[in-house]
Amino acid sequence: DQQVKQNSPSLSVQEGRISILNCDYTNSMFDYFLWYKKYPAEGPTFLISISSIKDKNEDGRFTVFLNKSAKHLSLHIVPSQPGDSAVYFCAASYGNKLVFGAGTILRVKS
Amino acid sequence: NAGVTQTPKFRILKIGQSMTLQCTQDMNHNYMYWYRQDPGMGLKLIYYSVGAGITDKGEVPNGYNVSRSTTEDFPLRLELAAPSQTSVYFCASSYSLAASTDTQYFGPGTRLTVL
């Protein structure tokens, strides 16, 4: 029972273009959403988050959009850079519960 | 600050062997966690601790044991290794338990193979 799904295992984008990573969730109890980024041989690191009371949160080149009615969130990276190549995990939480998606591998080609 | 450190980085075990995965954090966090990540799956919580001497089960605790004798250390014990425990193990720590108030900081992981 995967409550948080990242349906695209991988994504390839040209440098300078927009990267859009998607995430769907099933549990309507989730009220806080996070994106983590992971480089090879390193642990995940926090990237950006959004509360369910908002529909957008922006931090530099990274923007997360939340569509509660569709139970969908997305991470936009503009412009994409080769250093953004990593695995991106979507996570959702309510209370003390935190559920992770399987991750999407992003490759930014120069 | 070293953050969260884990040892070893890699390990191969035979079925039935035991081992301890070490985790240490130097951020004075009360909360610590062990996750496993299997191919194509998200991180699954094995055990967590809310402070020295207090631990609780996560989503997938079977086959594992933990202890928390100090704030800094949170070792994970595998008593009778099984092939199903082949995975990448991540330790994490945080200042608070709720993700909405504090992010979790992860170690680099231990890749364990059980043959």
Side-chain angles (χ1 to χ4, degrees):
Chain A
D1 177 28
Q2 286 188 289
Q3 298 184 59
V4 178
K5 294 181 182 178
Q6 295 178 254
N7 291 320
S8 297
S10 65
L11 174 68
S12 187
V13 171
Q14 198 67 33
E15 180 180 6
R17 298 291 186 106
I18 185 171
S19 295
I20 300 177
L21 294 92
N22 294 303
C23 178
D24 296 296
Y25 62 96
T26 57
N27 191 337
S28 56
M29 296 286 291
F30 290 135
D31 60 6
Y32 197 76
F33 305 89
L34 308 91
W35 286 93
Y36 279 82
K37 176 179 181 180
K38 182 187 177 306
Y39 293 118
E42 295 183 13
T45 55
F46 170 75
L47 184 60
I48 192 170
S49 62
I50 187 167
S51 165
S52 61
I53 63 172
K54 295 186 176 182
D55 55 18
K56 177 182 174 182
N57 187 29
E58 192 171 351
D59 183 1
R61 297 186 296 113
F62 302 91
T63 303
V64 56
F65 295 92
L66 176 62
N67 183 333
K68 283 180 61 180
S69 60
K71 294 189 176 69
H72 176 83
L73 66 156
S74 60
L75 174 68
H76 292 210
I77 307 173
V78 183
S80 301
Q81 300 173 353
D84 295 329
S85 297
V87 179
Y88 290 79
F89 292 100
C90 169
S93 81
Y94 68 90
N96 299 330
K97 188 174 178 67
L98 182 64
V99 181
F100 286 86
T104 296
I105 301 170
L106 174 65
R107 296 187 184 89
V108 181
K109 298 175 290 186
S110 56
Chain B
N1 273 0
V4 180
T5 57
Q6 292 182 239
T7 56
K9 286 185 169 53
F10 305 94
R11 184 73 185 267
I12 298 175
L13 282 182
K14 293 183 179 178
I15 294 172
Q17 286 185 320
S18 62
M19 77 163 293
T20 300
L21 283 68
Q22 301 291 345
C23 175
T24 300
Q25 54 93 7
D26 63 359
M27 296 174 281
N28 203 31
H29 286 162
N30 281 329
Y31 302 92
M32 295 188 74
Y33 317 82
W34 274 106
Y35 292 90
R36 60 178 285 172
Q37 188 195 9
D38 301 325
M41 304 290 287
L43 281 73
K44 302 285 188 186
L45 183 65
I46 304 170
Y47 271 96
Y48 68 99
S49 170
V50 302
I54 307 170
T55 63
D56 206 351
K57 295 178 181 178
E59 186 181 355
V60 289
N62 290 344
Y64 307 94
N65 282 300
V66 294
S67 59
R68 183 100 180 269
S69 57
T70 66
T71 300
E72 295 78 19
D73 300 307
F74 190 39
L76 177 71
R77 179 84 177 160
L78 284 71
E79 290 294 350
L80 290 170
S84 61
Q85 293 177 305
T86 294
S87 190
V88 181
Y89 292 84
F90 291 101
C91 179
S93 71
S94 65
Y95 179 72
S96 70
L97 198 54
S100 58
T101 55
D102 185 44
T103 184
Q104 294 184 15
Y105 297 84
F106 285 83
T110 294
R111 184 174 295 275
L112 176 67
T113 302
V114 182
L115 299 175

